[in-house]
């Protein structure tokens, strides 16, 4: 899984979070996720899957999350302004994240990516 470290001047600054951001007017949640991934990391995701929705109230704002999983294959285009880390699923807990992410991590529990390998479809846990 790819985590980005939020800059100190952002909401939830200094914490690790998934690539993402706010949906723009007239944009679908998935289009926003694809755009934010590209803007923040230079990566293009494949095999997008919706993993669910979650609402969380911070002291100063209510946020509605829609979480997507995707597979990134052309990692040579990785270009992050912020510090980043590729983290195995079972090591995500080692990275301090915003309070809302407790539920987001729970939504990752059943996430599998189907990778076509020759004639075989193989379900894999993606990192
Ligand atoms: N991207 C992202 N945001 C998260 C996560 N967890 C979490 O609570 N948030 C919060 C922090 C922010 O309040 C909000 C996302 O806004 P953002 O600041 O990243 O979005 P943006 O890039 O569109 O915003 P902006 O700084 O351009 O105004 O969601 C997470 O895992 N990833």
């Amino acid at each position: 899984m790819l985590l980005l470290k939020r800059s100190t001047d952002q909401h939830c600054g200094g914490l690790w979070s998934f690539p993402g951001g706010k949906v723009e007017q007239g944009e679908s949640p998935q289009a926003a996720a694809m755009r934010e991934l590209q803007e923040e990391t230079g990566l293009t995701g494949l095999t997008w899957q919706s993993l669910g929705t979650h609402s969380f109230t911070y002291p100063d704002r209510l946020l509605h999350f829609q979480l997507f999983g995707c597979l990134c294959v052309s990692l040579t285009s990785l270009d992050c302004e912020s510090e980043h880390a590729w983290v195995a699923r079972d090591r995500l807990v080692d990275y301090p994240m915003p309070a809302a992410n407790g539920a987001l991590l729970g939504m990752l529990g059943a996430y599998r990516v189907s990778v076509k390998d020759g004639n075989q479809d193989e379900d894999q846990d993606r990192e």
Side-chain angles (χ1 to χ4, degrees):
M1 307 274 168
L2 177 58
L3 294 180
L4 306 180
K5 193 165 189 180
R6 300 181 66 80
S7 65
T8 48
D9 59 349
Q10 283 181 300
H11 184 236
C12 303
L15 299 175
W16 292 89
S17 65
F18 297 113
K22 299 182 192 80
V23 178
E24 293 177 356
Q25 198 165 3
E27 190 179 42
S28 71
Q30 183 171 328
M34 297 168 101
R35 175 183 54 73
E36 290 281 357
L37 178 68
Q38 174 72 43
E39 287 175 5
E40 294 182 348
T41 71
L43 296 175
T44 302
L46 304 174
T47 63
W48 287 81
Q49 292 179 45
S50 176
L51 304 180
T53 58
H54 174 62
S55 295
F56 189 87
T57 307
Y58 284 104
D60 61 343
R61 68 194 73 189
L62 165 64
L63 295 176
H64 301 289
F65 294 89
Q66 184 147 352
L67 187 65
F68 293 91
C70 71
L71 181 63
C72 294
V73 285
S74 298
L75 299 186
T76 49
S77 58
L78 183 67
D79 179 18
C80 288
E81 228 172 72
S82 52
E83 195 179 335
H84 72 277
W86 290 99
V87 182
R89 190 187 295 245
D90 61 353
R91 304 314 317 172
L92 287 170
V93 289
D94 297 339
Y95 289 75
M97 290 190 198
N101 287 40
L104 302 184
L105 293 183
M107 291 157 68
L108 286 175
Y111 179 44
R112 300 286 181 279
V113 174
S114 186
V115 179
K116 200 151 191 128
D117 177 17
N119 292 326
Q120 289 182 320
D121 273 337
E122 192 181 341
D123 282 343
Q124 299 189 345
D125 288 340
R126 301 304 305 178
E127 301 308 332

